[in-house]
Each structure stands twice: as C-alpha cells, then as structure tokens.
Amino acid sequence: MTNSPDKKLHPRTEAVHHGTRRSQYGEMAEAIFLTQGFVYDSAAQAEARFEGTGPDEFIYARYGNPTSRMFEDRIAALEGTEDAFATASGMAAVNGALFSMLKPGDRVVAARALFGSCLYVLDLLAKFGVEVAYVDGTDMDQWRAAITPATTAVFFESVSNPTLEVIDMRAVSELAHAVGATVVVDNVFATPVFSRAVEMGADVVVYSATKHIDGGGRALAGVICGTRKFVREVAEPYLKHTGGAISPFHSWLMLNGLTTMDLRVRAQADAAAAIAKALKGHKALARVIYPGLADHPQHDLAMAQMGSGGTMIAVELAGGKDAAFAALDRLRIFKISNNLGDAKSIVTHPATTTHQRLPEDQRAHLGITPGLLRLSIGLEDAQDLIDDLTQALN
C-alpha cells in the first residue's frame, strides 16, 4: 500500500513519507525486498506482468523493485518531476540519460567544465557518431553559437566540479528549447535541497545519490529524474537491458538518507559559508571560491538558482602543488578522499586525482591549478573545521 496525502506537503515531510509502500505486515520502516524475481499466481498473471499492466507489478529486480520504487517516487517528488529511475551509480545515471536518448548523427552541446567520467561518456558518444560540441559554460555567447537547430541535447553541471562555476540554467534552457533540444543537468553540487532545476527549465536531472542523498559515504547510487515518458519509455528500457539498475539494499540506504538530507545539507551549507568567509584573505591562499561569497563571479545567479552557496568550497594555495600537499598532510579533521557530500569533511586535490587524466592545458583552461583544493564540508563543528584549515595553511 502507498500513502498519498491529498494536501501538498513541504519537502522535508515528503522526504520522510512520500511513496512509502507497506507490506501486509504493516512495518513502520521501509522494507528491503532482497529478491531477484517475483512469483506469479498463474501463467496468465505472468503474461500480464510482462505486458507492463501496472506501476507496482514487478517481474525482475533489474526492471524494478518495491524498495527501489519507493526511492524513485520520493526523489521525484522532491525534485518536482513526474518520475525517476534509480541506477547503480551516479555515472550510470549520466550514461543512461545520454546514451538512451542519443543516436549517431545527433548533436549534444556540453559545458567544458565537467567531471572526468562525464567527459569520458561524451567522448564515447562521439566514437559512436554523436557530434559533441564543448563551450565555456559561463559564456552565453558560446552557448548561442553552439546550440544550432541540429542540437538534440545540452548537458552541463549546474555548479561545476571542482571550480564551482554556476551555469545560467534558465538562459541555456531557453536557447535549447527554442530548437527543440532536451536539457540534461547534473545537479550534484546543488543537491535536491537547493535544486530549482526544473523551475529553471531542466528536462532531465541526474544525481549521484552517492553524495548528499546518502550522506554517509556508505554506498554507490544514482538517479535520473524527468517526465514519465522520458523515464519509462527512454531511460528505463536502456538501463534495464544494459544492467544499470540499483540494488534494493542501496535503495533502502538512499531512502534512509533522504529522511535527514534537508537537515544535513542546510547545516553543511551554513558551515561552508562560515568557513569560506573565515578563509577569505588568508596569506597562503591565492583565492577562495565559494558561490555564497559576494565576490564570486556568479554569486547573484547562484542565489537566484539555489538560494545558497552550497556545501562545497574550492581554495587555491599560492605555493602550488608543494604547498597544497603540505597543507593536506597537516590536516587533522578533514580526510583526504575523492568523495563529497559526506557527513565527514573531505579534501581533494583535483589535479592529481579526480581530474588527473585531463591534459594539462585543459586543466589550466578550467582553472584546475596545481594549488587547487576542493573542500566538501561535513557535519563537524564549523569552528573546529576553521581551526583545522587555518593550522594547516599556517
């Protein structure tokens, strides 16, 4: 059974209750349906299930699962889309959203500042005959020139990884929709808490649920949010036949993550704002990049699109790689890792880890310098984090 309150509820309430399905036992917590297949009462029922006669009529875990459907319904409600499909990882979501909709001869226009694995997927699409054009995401003139009538889709991170450029979603979406192109947004840094992607014109929103949705660094997961037609008729057939579906156990972990996500992310963003302000002007830093700071090039846009600077900060040490490595090794609370959105604060050196395989000239063009550090702010006390960073920089 599914709860469907008539009154529209606030997001924090939806994140706790929306889409709950209870078995005949009436359990309070969401159940984990750890099963590969499902049993049918008759041959005729099996035939009907394979014809796809109902949203809760499951046939195989790769196609759908009650626990996963709860997660899909809940994240779709939070994102403001008609439907969602949960995937095995964030990259399975990116791959599924793009590969399911594009074919040889199509054209996709993408922002140049993307996570390395996203660039790999786009390069793979190009090998299969899809035309891929890159633009500097904050340059609207480049978007105008690149989004031609031949464009099938545009793809960008709403806030880029790791240099925190903010893309004007409404402006890019208007250009894309004018030629009939689909807007696909990787919204990880904005998080579902601060997301206004659909309101700003996004057609498809993808997340690495591994990040803020889980929030505890426990499991990989991803999700594609969009119209029911896109999710069920375009993305789902591709994903269920190519094996990108999520594990029911990981869906259960994500459901539990959603219940506290709003509280966690808002606390992390508040701490990030305080930390960015405290680091501003430190003698060891060439720059502090945080969309919540007034001197960020897209500060006003970030406030309009998210209402927050988010949970991520980037800092560039004036002394380059040697200074960055020395600071990393002196940190006591921050952990050196390449994840983000965790309850624990994490620091990453993108030039030698997440973006290591990019050619040096591309890294330089994107602002990924040898001295750049990416900070993911966790749930520790903000003053403790400021003290930790300050002693490491000093």
Side-chain angles (χ1 to χ4, degrees), residues 51-319:
E51 290 173 348
T53 55
D56 282 344
E57 296 182 347
F58 302 101
I59 60 174
Y60 193 60
R62 181 158 44 84
Y63 289 34
N65 173 279
T67 310
S68 298
R69 190 60 56 82
M70 282 190 269
F71 172 52
E72 291 165 352
D73 286 352
R74 198 168 292 182
I75 190 64
L78 291 174
E79 196 61 31
T81 58
E82 292 178 348
D83 211 340
F85 191 87
T87 62
S89 68
M91 285 313 306
V94 171
N95 174 76
L98 295 175
F99 263 85
S100 67
M101 66 180 292
L102 296 168
K103 63 184 185 303
D106 285 345
R107 175 181 171 87
V108 58
V109 180
R112 204 181 311 276
L114 292 171
F115 179 55
S117 294
C118 294
L119 292 169
Y120 178 87
V121 169
L122 290 169
D123 287 346
L124 197 58
L125 281 165
K127 290 180 181 178
F128 286 114
V130 175
E131 181 186 3
V132 180
Y134 291 102
V135 299
D136 291 335
T138 59
D139 188 334
M140 287 308 303
D141 287 337
Q142 291 190 32
W143 284 108
R144 290 186 190 94
I147 298 175
T148 65
T151 303
T152 309
V154 301
F155 175 60
F156 56 89
E157 296 171 351
S158 55
V159 182
S160 72
N161 177 8
T163 53
L164 307 180
E165 293 180 348
V166 183
I167 307 297
D168 190 335
M169 283 194 281
R170 191 185 299 280
V172 174
S173 296
E174 288 175 355
L175 291 172
H177 293 157
V179 298
T182 300
V183 178
V184 183
V185 176
D186 183 333
N187 214 32
V188 168
F189 278 30
T191 81
V193 174
F194 299 128
S195 173
R196 295 177 185 169
V198 174
E199 175 189 332
M200 298 288 169
D203 300 302
V204 179
V205 183
V206 295
Y207 284 104
S208 171
T210 309
K211 312 302 192 292
H212 301 88
I213 293 174
D214 174 23
R218 296 166 293 193
L220 297 176
V223 66
I224 302 170
C225 303
T227 64
R228 186 158 290 113
K229 181 178 179 63
F230 179 85
V231 170
R232 297 301 161 186
E233 296 180 22
V234 179
E236 179 186 340
Y238 174 83
L239 286 158
K240 73 183 184 183
H241 290 301
T242 56
I246 193 172
S247 149
F249 179 67
H250 286 192
S251 290
W252 181 80
L253 288 172
M254 299 306 139
L255 278 166
N256 280 273
L258 284 177
T259 62
T260 60
M261 179 181 65
D262 190 279
L263 292 166
R264 286 186 285 103
V265 169
R266 291 186 189 279
Q268 289 168 302
D270 287 346
I275 293 165
K277 185 177 180 181
L279 293 179
K280 190 71 181 167
H282 193 286
K283 62 182 181 181
L285 298 177
R287 56 178 176 155
V288 175
I289 309 169
Y290 181 65
L293 290 176
D295 65 353
H296 187 283
Q298 296 94 41
H299 169 73
D300 291 341
L301 179 62
M303 293 302 105
Q305 289 189 171
M306 302 187 338
S308 167
T311 68
M312 306 294 297
I313 305 170
V315 297
E316 182 180 359
L317 277 79

